[in-house]
Amino acid sequence: MKIAFLADIHSNWPALEAVLQHLKASRPDRVVVAGDTINRGPNPRRCLEKTLELAGQDGWLLMRGNHEDYVLHAPGRISQLRPWEQEVCAHTLWTHDHIRAYRDTIAAWPEHIELEGPDGGLIRVVHASMHGNRVGLYAFMDDAELHDKTAPGVPVLCAGHTHIPFIRWIGDRLILNAGAVGMPFDRDPRASYALISWTETGWKPEIVRVPYDQGETVRLYHETGYLANGGAMVPLILRELLESRSWLGPWHREYEPRVAAEEMTVADSVQAMIQSRT
Ligand SMILES: [Fe+2]
């Protein structure tokens, strides 16, 4: 038995397409998509429709991540925000406009998925951790913290969310982070997914990295209108793609307080951040 875990596709069609090609060679029995299929990229509808097609055709299992929740709540929530906050969230409304027809489908996806291994042991898939879909698992966490964030313990737990893959054994427990298909944050631009294969001695885990044409994704930022119409933060999202590291997280920490205090506009903060980091 072989199970593939894909997470954080983030509307990156060329990256998803490359992983689909790779799956033809790795041939998993099941594929689970652990959330954040949409948002933060130029092709939300195409990525969504492909995963839905594979759910129907090959039994792929789909679930919500924090970005599905952001998108579903965007129309009601963003209109309540202050003008500068609306600018920051505009890219999520752009995504919503493109997947509007699938709102009910996405809302029905679960937050956790459980499978049973050949030995009867559970395999649990969550987007971030058991502490919620925004509380991630990192390789630097010690065993006690990983246990705490993945309790109640099951033999195998796989997550995404942080965009940084890892494999950790804690005794007989296996904890994996699949990394991100569409936007890795470990300075390696290749798409990332995880595979576990059942062997005579138990599960054999693997992080798979798949090269793809990132230039094609950049072209799609332009062709789809995402860069032109997706709002003030899209230039930073493009930097995340190009540099395989987080930009929005540091923006929220370093610049959001200054924008909130009306010391600078969102547009000025984006320019200042690009200048300071390049
Ligand atoms: Fe994500």
Side-chain angles (χ1 to χ4, degrees):
M1 186 186 204
K2 199 186 272 190
I3 306 171
F5 305 101
L6 278 55
D8 299 275
I9 295 165
H10 281 297
S11 309
N12 185 341
W13 171 252
L16 175 59
E17 207 175 21
V19 168
L20 293 177
Q21 276 303 320
H22 199 275
L23 290 172
K24 286 182 183 168
S26 59
R27 298 175 58 85
D29 301 291
R30 299 306 302 261
V31 177
V32 183
V33 182
D36 284 11
T37 299
I38 56 172
N39 214 24
R40 222 157 160 169
N43 289 101
R45 184 166 177 141
R46 198 166 184 189
C47 293
L48 177 62
E49 288 180 340
K50 189 64 187 179
T51 55
L52 287 170
E53 178 192 323
L54 291 165
Q57 185 183 299
D58 295 339
W60 281 32
L61 300 170
L62 312 178
M63 52 186 273
R64 293 190 337 269
N66 55 312
H67 279 268
E68 276 75 29
D69 289 345
Y70 293 157
V71 171
L72 289 175
H73 295 124
R77 192 180 72 86
I78 292 174
S79 62
Q80 312 292 320
L81 299 175
R82 288 172 285 180
W84 70 265
E85 292 172 308
Q86 294 190 17
E87 282 185 68
V88 171
C89 297
H91 69 99
T92 303
L93 263 186
W94 186 92
T95 299
H96 181 270
D97 287 346
H98 287 75
I99 59 85
R100 186 187 301 269
Y102 296 97
R103 281 185 54 89
D104 292 347
T105 304
I106 297 169
W109 289 352
E111 278 197 320
H112 302 165
I113 284 173
E114 283 185 354
L115 303 168
E116 200 175 285
D119 59 345
L122 282 182
I123 299 141
R124 179 176 294 146
V125 189
V126 300
H127 177 62
S129 74
M130 293 302 286
H131 285 199
N133 71 9
R134 296 181 67 184
V135 181
L137 304 176
Y138 291 91
F140 62 74
M141 291 175 170
D142 63 22
D143 291 356
E145 187 170 6
L146 283 177
H147 268 309
D148 176 56
K149 289 191 162 61
T150 58
V154 290
V156 180
L157 182 135
C158 185
H161 183 66
T162 65
H163 301 202
I164 302 174
F166 71 83
I167 294 169
R168 175 83 71 88
W169 287 99
I170 305 177
D172 288 341
R173 285 194 77 200
L174 172 60
I175 297 174
L176 303 104
N177 191 311
V181 170
M183 189 176 275
F185 283 167
D186 60 353
R187 298 294 202 133
D188 180 342
R190 296 174 299 168
S192 177
Y193 77 96
L195 266 180
I196 59 171
S197 307
W198 185 253
T199 70
E200 284 177 1
T201 53
W203 289 111
K204 177 177 158 285
E206 185 185 354
I207 301 295
V208 183
R209 301 305 290 255
V210 185
Y212 73 96
D213 184 355
Q214 199 182 61
E216 176 66 6
T217 305
V218 174
R219 196 183 65 74
L220 289 164
Y221 268 66
H222 294 275
E223 186 186 288
T224 61
Y226 185 51
L227 192 58
N229 307 317
M233 305 306 276
V234 178
L236 300 187
I237 295 169
L238 178 57
R239 294 278 166 165
E240 293 186 317
L241 176 86
L242 293 172
E243 298 182 9
S244 310
R245 64 170 174 155
S246 176
W247 279 65
L248 291 193
W251 182 89
H252 283 290
R253 286 192 295 276
E254 295 166 28
Y255 291 92
E256 182 175 341
R258 296 164 65 186
V259 174
E262 298 184 356
E263 290 170 18
M264 62 199 315
T265 65
V266 174
D268 287 347
S269 74
V270 166
Q271 283 311 312
M273 188 175 184
I274 289 172
Q275 278 169 11
S276 77
R277 280 186 147 200
T278 49

